[in-house]
Amino acid sequence: AKWDNRFQQLKRSYDPVRESFDTLFFAPLNDYNEEQRALSIVRREAHLEALELSLSTLRNLMDDEWNQVETWKEQQPGALFLVDVGVVLSSILECISSAGREILATKYELERNRDNSAGLRNSWELSHLNSRMRELTETIDKIPTVYELNRKYATTTVRTETTF
């Protein structure tokens, strides 16, 4: 139960990121006039900042978890399930970095197209950031369950009942 709880907590730690992105993604662009467009841009910038903050929090949590798993791997070299967990955590960190770079690109596009309604509409779609966030979601979903790990390593002597 300890490992299941730990893995579920890691998956739940992604919820604020998902909520921040959903809020950003579904925020409308009102470009009926300059005032409405400016207000939409300010809201978009605030949503991008919120997403950056939630990604930063997730990165710190996953980085701490990855460091802990690496320490445990050194202490228990036969605990093969820790290798799987470490690989997933490493992939999550890579996805977070990619999403962070895409946020910066989105901010740049927003600034570049601030006074260009057509360009602003095109950059408002967030297609590249949406792809990065989808990759992150899929990678978060790869955090294994104890059941999956026990099935995979059922023939080995080291199982996930190892306590640290």
Side-chain angles (χ1 to χ4, degrees):
K2 176 185 174 190
W3 283 103
D4 262 338
N5 290 341
R6 186 178 203 101
F7 295 153
Q8 287 305 313
Q9 183 179 6
L10 287 175
K11 286 183 179 185
R12 281 192 307 272
S13 67
Y14 178 64
D15 291 346
V17 174
R18 183 187 330 258
E19 290 169 15
S20 291
F21 180 71
D22 287 348
T23 301
L24 169 69
F25 190 76
F26 293 110
L29 168 62
N30 295 322
D31 63 349
Y32 308 115
N33 59 45
E34 277 186 48
E35 184 179 309
Q36 289 296 315
R37 182 174 52 239
L39 187 57
S40 292
I41 291 170
V42 168
R43 285 185 185 130
R44 173 63 51 114
E45 290 169 335
H47 293 313
L48 284 166
E49 292 296 323
L51 180 57
E52 265 185 321
L53 182 60
S54 61
L55 272 175
S56 176
T57 300
L58 182 64
R59 178 192 326 273
N60 292 339
L61 183 105
M62 294 296 175
D63 196 39
D64 289 347
E65 191 69 16
W66 183 84
N67 287 328
Q68 183 62 63
V69 166
E70 289 300 306
T71 299
W72 288 335
K73 282 177 13 185
E74 291 172 11
Q75 294 170 353
Q76 297 287 326
L80 299 176
F81 77 96
L82 290 172
V83 173
D84 288 356
V85 174
V87 167
V88 171
L89 291 172
S90 188
S91 295
I92 290 169
L93 289 167
E94 288 174 25
C95 288
I96 291 170
S97 293
S98 292
R101 286 189 298 276
E102 199 56 51
I103 288 171
L104 292 176
T106 301
K107 285 180 169 183
Y108 171 77
E109 284 295 310
L110 190 60
E111 186 60 37
R112 192 169 69 94
N113 290 307
R114 187 173 287 280
D115 297 320
N116 175 351
S117 287
L120 194 58
R121 269 186 241 106
N122 288 336
S123 66
W124 209 262
E125 293 174 14
L126 299 172
S127 58
H128 295 293
L129 181 56
N130 189 30
S131 295
R132 298 297 83 73
M133 296 304 292
R134 189 171 34 256
E135 288 170 7
L136 179 56
T137 299
E138 290 167 2
T139 306
I140 292 282
D141 288 342
K142 291 179 182 175
I143 294 173
T145 64
V146 170
Y147 176 77
E148 292 166 340
L149 291 171
N150 280 336
R151 279 189 39 215
K152 183 174 182 178
Y153 296 109
T155 59
T156 65
T157 56
V158 178
R159 296 168 42 114
T160 54
E161 282 83 26
T162 306
T163 55
F164 297 96

